[in-house]
Amino acid sequence: MAKTNFQYEKRQKELEKKKKAEEKARRKLEAKNNPKPADGSEGDEPEADDADADDADPAAEGDAPVQPQ
């Protein structure tokens, strides 16, 4: 009967651990360089048009300033 090669198995486990550690370090570095917003939404999504936001606020128009009565 053949003998189990424990050194090979140990080396394969070490390589797998190293691979996982490198992947974790890469993800951590990527997250550090590209932080996501705190609300959980993706940062790559486009924001709402500024023109729509201006229509909702009459004080933002440049015609005449709104004065309190």
Side-chain angles (χ1 to χ4, degrees):
M1 182 169 205
K3 211 174 184 184
T4 307
N5 189 350
F6 290 109
Q7 288 180 337
Y8 175 79
E9 291 178 5
K10 183 178 179 182
R11 178 68 180 148
Q12 293 304 308
K13 285 182 183 180
E14 289 174 354
L15 290 173
E16 186 64 29
K17 282 183 182 181
K18 186 176 181 180
K19 183 179 174 183
K20 280 187 177 184
E22 288 174 355
E23 178 66 20
K24 184 177 179 181
R26 185 191 62 77
R27 282 185 281 128
K28 192 173 182 181
L29 182 62
E30 185 176 300
K32 184 179 179 183
N33 291 336
N34 301 320
K36 292 186 179 180
D39 63 355
S41 65
E42 291 290 325
D44 296 339
E45 295 179 8
E47 296 294 324
D49 286 334
D50 291 335
D52 294 338
D54 291 343
D55 293 339
D57 187 10
E61 295 180 14
D63 294 342
V66 177
Q67 302 209 358
Q69 302 267 340

